[in-house]
Amino acid sequence: MHYYRYSNAEVSCWYKYLLFSYNIVFWLAGVAFLAAGLWAWSEKGVLSDLTKVTGLHGLDPVVLVLVVGIVMFTLGFAGCVGALRENICLLKFFCGTIVFIFLLEMAVAVMAFLFQDWVRDKVKEFFENNIKSYRDDIDLQNIIDSLQRINHCCGAQGPEDWDFNIYFDCKSESKSREKCGVPFSCCIPDPAQKVVNTQCGYDIRKKSKSQWDDQIFVKGCIHALEAWLPRNIYIVAGVFIAISLLQIFGIFLARTLISDIEAVKASNAF
């Protein structure tokens, strides 16, 4: 690569290498996400049988990790190479994609605020679909268990939602030992027990509802999340603002570098 000095225009090394440093973090994070996703898939045998992905009706968390990894890897690569090689096409691709993601985030935030009932229905539908696939994927199972345990909740609207899962359904013809029960993550923990009792939810829904309060969480996870959000609104807003500022900073660096490169080319043309 040849470098030239122009009397009236030059590419700022400060912006150039600052943008490169900004994107190297993106690129390394993308590599980490991709490595973690591929490792998780290899552990589940998906890499040797891709039909296992389509066989899961709920969300496979590994797919989300891989998508995030691919986006971050691609953006980081485009930004790094675009900055070092002063390639306007790659820089515009990086900048345009960041702008698109930023506008998409803003649109989702506005829609979530304006159409709260619709969002609540979609979250309920999403949660119920994942309850159906609870035993089909270990990663999905761990996420649902963590969500229920941390938020002291059970099901989307309540414990009865576990009828959506064939293993826990009270009305099914299944011979499952978990029939008419709930996962252990729905159980109220006993401080005296040092070992988690994974069978604590067995047959609990065969009892009267008045007995549930002493053994399991009866509040649905949607209600728990709705109660959690107002208590942590400043944390959520702070995270959203921090991410937005990082995106705006990246857009500013890319646009400034593109302007410098175009000015140098224009100057060189004369």
Side-chain angles (χ1 to χ4, degrees):
M1 183 176 180
H2 300 284
Y3 294 90
Y4 301 93
R5 291 185 177 275
Y6 304 103
S7 57
N8 56 346
E10 63 178 5
V11 175
S12 172
C13 290
W14 170 254
Y15 288 120
K16 178 177 179 178
Y17 290 107
L18 191 57
L19 182 61
F20 172 79
S21 302
Y22 177 93
N23 279 282
I24 200 70
V25 176
F26 259 91
W27 184 78
L28 291 174
V31 170
F33 274 101
L34 283 174
L38 292 174
W39 173 80
W41 260 4
S42 67
E43 289 292 304
K44 293 192 289 188
V46 174
L47 294 182
S48 58
D49 184 8
L50 291 176
T51 59
K52 292 183 178 181
V53 179
T54 57
L56 180 65
H57 299 293
L59 168 71
D60 185 349
V62 180
V63 174
L64 182 61
V65 172
L66 287 171
V67 169
V68 172
I70 291 171
V71 171
M72 295 184 72
F73 180 90
T74 304
L75 284 178
F77 180 81
C80 286
V81 176
L84 286 179
R85 301 295 298 176
E86 299 177 8
N87 187 303
I88 290 181
C89 289
L90 287 176
L91 290 174
K92 285 184 175 180
F93 168 76
F94 167 79
C95 185
T97 306
I98 293 291
V99 169
F100 173 76
I101 293 173
F102 176 76
L103 293 176
L104 187 63
E105 290 170 352
M106 295 297 295
V108 169
V110 171
M111 288 185 65
F113 179 76
L114 295 178
F115 304 101
Q116 296 181 23
D117 291 337
W118 180 83
V119 171
R120 187 181 295 107
D121 290 340
K122 289 300 178 183
V123 170
K124 178 177 177 290
E125 181 182 340
F126 176 77
F127 203 100
E128 289 172 353
N129 287 335
N130 285 289
I131 285 176
K132 293 177 184 178
S133 305
Y134 175 77
R135 289 297 187 204
D136 298 340
D137 184 85
I138 187 63
D139 295 318
L140 176 61
Q141 181 177 311
N142 288 334
I143 287 179
I144 292 177
D145 282 336
S146 297
L147 179 65
Q148 293 188 144
R149 190 168 55 250
I150 292 172
N151 292 284
H152 295 174
C153 60
C154 188
Q157 301 283 4
E160 296 94 337
D161 288 335
W162 282 99
D163 279 336
F164 289 112
N165 187 282
I166 190 172
Y167 297 100
F168 296 94
D169 185 8
C170 288
K171 301 181 291 294
S172 83
E173 300 299 323
S174 171
K175 301 298 183 182
S176 170
R177 182 63 188 87
E178 296 175 309
K179 183 177 179 180
C180 222
V182 293
F184 75 94
S185 54
C186 286
C187 296
I188 298 174
D190 184 353
Q193 287 185 340
K194 295 184 179 180
V195 179
V196 176
N197 179 11
T198 57
Q199 300 179 2
C200 61
Y202 284 11
D203 302 323
I204 184 64
R205 290 191 292 125
K206 290 181 180 179
K207 302 177 182 179
S208 64
K209 291 187 178 182
S210 61
Q211 295 178 286
W212 292 5
D213 290 351
D214 297 329
Q215 294 181 260
I216 63 172
F217 304 119
V218 295
K219 180 170 60 176
C221 289
I222 293 178
H223 298 302
L225 291 173
E226 287 176 342
W228 176 88
L229 187 58
R231 295 196 308 267
N232 298 272
I233 188 65
Y234 293 112
I235 296 175
V236 174
V239 171
F240 181 78
I241 291 172
I243 293 174
S244 299
L245 289 176
L246 283 173
Q247 292 171 330
I248 292 171
F249 182 60
I251 295 169
F252 166 75
L253 290 177
R255 288 305 311 166
T256 302
L257 190 56
I258 289 171
S259 297
D260 283 356
I261 296 170
E262 289 176 341
V264 168
K265 288 186 175 181
S267 176
N268 191 40
F270 294 103

